[in-house]
Amino acid sequence: MKIVDASVIVTSPGRNFVTLRITTDDGVTGLGDATLNGRELAVVGYLRDHVAPLLIGLDPHKIEDTWQSLYRGAYWRRGPVTMAAIAAVDVALWDIKAKVANLPLYQLLGGASRDRVRTYGHASGRDVPELFDSVRARLEQGYKSIRIQTGIPGLQRVYGVGGSPDVAPDGWVRPLVEDWDTAAYLRHMPTVFEAVRNEFGPELPLLHDAHHRLTPQQAARFGKDLEPYDLFWLEDCTPAENQEGLRLVRSHTTTPLAIGEVFNTVFDFRTLVNEQLIDYVRAAVTHFGGVSPIKKLFDFAAQQQIKSAIHGPEDISPVGMAAAIHLDLAIHNFGIQEYAGYTAATEEVFRHAYTFTDGHLHPGEAPGLGVELDDELAAAHPYAPAYLPVNRLADGTVHDW
């Protein structure tokens, strides 16, 4: 069996997705997610111009060898563009291997370690009453664990609470500019969690994402202030590049910590795992180089009693989500899976075997990933420029996350 084609499909059924399809001489196809939110076309160029030509003629069953070749052969290692491209290849090859074996991918990863995959959903609101409505909506959808995000009094636009991109007079889409006030955030959020606990009780698992906005000292104080509300975790409390800063946070709060969605390799986690500075690793299959390396990360994390929590917002395509669910079902140290759902148009473009029932996911029993992409429908949703927001302080300074 040889690879005869590697094509890149870009589609935007609500938001942009980049998909790699690898085809063998036997007609078996595999899909991989290469989406990098706000920088999608950079990965498209990397795949089309530098990676796809190298795949032609290779044996698709040599997954580890291909991964090492793409990672080491480029000389310029790591980084989100490189690792998203490699992830797409790796996941597509696993998809092919499982299809040839006529087994769902999780069976090739050691089989199921659980019956279903626990998830958490997103609830947000501009104020507390609107947040309560969002929480109730998630509960009605079946979610058993919920991430809480809300607006901050005095701030007009806050990341994670909604907002539309800015369109300049010349028609170009530019990043949404949001305002920020750390002191106001630190004062307000504990009152939000107090209100949520009073409304929904002590048993509902609650999560919160600080989106890297705090210094280690601020994060330590924040984690301590949130302890009475028994969070499932506090996510990305401080910029993850400063791994040593988590020592200060860890020493001052027992609130569980989750970090890693912007990490691309196991080297980014080394200090955090070895020193047990976090409780959950948040890497994404799509941005971490694929199934092969992230499974190794989870094995590494398990040695320090750290659990998985694969990044899974709407900008991870159903292909990347399916790969995550197969891993979740198989690994021993599974924690929780982020799942925000998709637009109806996305569900039509990406037909999938995985299911969401009663707050839990299951990958299904279809061979491979269990995802197929409809080329005609994908073509009906062309790429649309979109970017993540930029935070600015009151004086106009770009906020250093």
Side-chain angles (χ1 to χ4, degrees), residues 147 149 159 180 182 185 208-216 218-219 222 234-243 246 258-263 269 272 282 311 388-389 391 399-401:
R147 192 187 79 172
Q149 308 292 138
Y159 185 51
W180 185 249
T182 302
Y185 169 78
H208 179 66
D209 189 348
H211 292 112
H212 315 275
R213 290 189 176 99
L214 306 176
T215 66
Q218 292 166 344
F222 190 44
L234 171 61
E235 178 184 349
D236 290 339
C237 58
T238 192
E241 296 93 331
N242 180 16
Q243 295 189 28
L246 270 295
I259 275 185
E261 68 182 57
V262 299
F263 287 172
F269 282 103
L272 300 179
R282 288 278 292 131
H311 184 54
L388 291 170
N391 268 36
H399 180 47
D400 182 9
W401 289 13

Side-chain angles (χ1 to χ4, degrees), residues 178-209:
E178 299 173 337
D179 46 356
W180 185 249
D181 184 330
T182 302
Y185 169 78
L186 292 174
R187 288 192 302 268
H188 182 62
M189 285 311 301
T191 71
V192 170
F193 278 95
E194 180 180 22
V196 172
R197 279 290 178 225
N198 289 338
E199 181 71 16
F200 296 99
E203 296 183 358
L204 178 64
L206 301 177
L207 306 85
H208 179 66
D209 189 348

Side-chain angles (χ1 to χ4, degrees), residues 15 17 312-322 339-347 352 354:
R15 63 191 311 148
F17 299 114
E314 304 97 316
D315 55 3
I316 299 295
S317 88
V319 175
M321 178 59 63
Y339 181 67
Y342 296 100
T343 65
T346 299
E347 299 278 0
H352 55 78
Y354 68 76

Side-chain angles (χ1 to χ4, degrees), residues 2-9 19-25 28-32 44 46-58 66 70 85 88-89 92-93 96:
K2 301 293 182 184
I3 296 172
V4 296
D5 186 64
S7 57
V8 183
I9 303 102
T19 307
L20 175 69
R21 179 188 283 125
I22 294 177
T23 305
T24 73
D25 54 359
V28 182
T29 61
L31 298 179
V44 170
Y46 194 105
L47 277 171
R48 284 179 175 165
D49 299 335
H50 303 291
V51 174
L54 302 178
L55 301 176
I56 306 305
L58 296 184
T66 299
L70 292 176
V89 175
L93 294 182
I96 289 171

Side-chain angles (χ1 to χ4, degrees), residues 13-160:
R15 63 191 311 148
N16 296 312
F17 299 114
V18 179
T19 307
L20 175 69
R21 179 188 283 125
I22 294 177
T23 305
T24 73
D25 54 359
D26 290 344
V28 182
T29 61
L31 298 179
D33 182 18
T35 305
L36 185 62
N37 193 9
R39 295 294 183 267
E40 298 89 354
L41 298 185
V43 189
V44 170
Y46 194 105
L47 277 171
R48 284 179 175 165
D49 299 335
H50 303 291
V51 174
L54 302 178
L55 301 176
I56 306 305
L58 296 184
D59 180 350
H61 288 303
K62 294 185 176 180
I63 299 175
E64 182 68 20
D65 183 68
T66 299
W67 194 97
Q68 296 294 341
S69 177
L70 292 176
Y71 179 76
R72 300 177 187 282
Y75 183 77
W76 306 106
R77 302 179 185 179
R78 307 168 68 178
V81 174
T82 295
M83 300 312 289
I86 294 176
V89 175
D90 184 80
V91 171
L93 294 182
W94 276 109
D95 192 18
I96 289 171
K97 184 179 282 289
K99 285 178 179 176
V100 171
N102 197 33
L103 291 170
L105 175 58
Y106 76 83
Q107 293 288 15
L108 273 62
L109 303 176
S113 291
R114 55 197 49 81
D115 296 328
R116 54 185 184 166
V117 172
R118 178 185 191 180
T119 70
Y120 71 89
H122 297 176
S124 65
R126 288 166 295 183
D127 53 28
V128 170
E130 190 172 282
L131 171 64
F132 284 1
D133 290 341
S134 182
V135 172
R136 293 187 186 100
R138 299 293 86 75
L139 292 173
E140 289 176 2
Q141 291 172 339
Y143 285 101
K144 309 299 182 186
S145 306
I146 299 178
R147 192 187 79 172
I148 300 297
Q149 308 292 138
T150 187
I152 309 299
L155 302 185
Q156 297 302 308
R157 297 188 286 193
V158 177
Y159 185 51

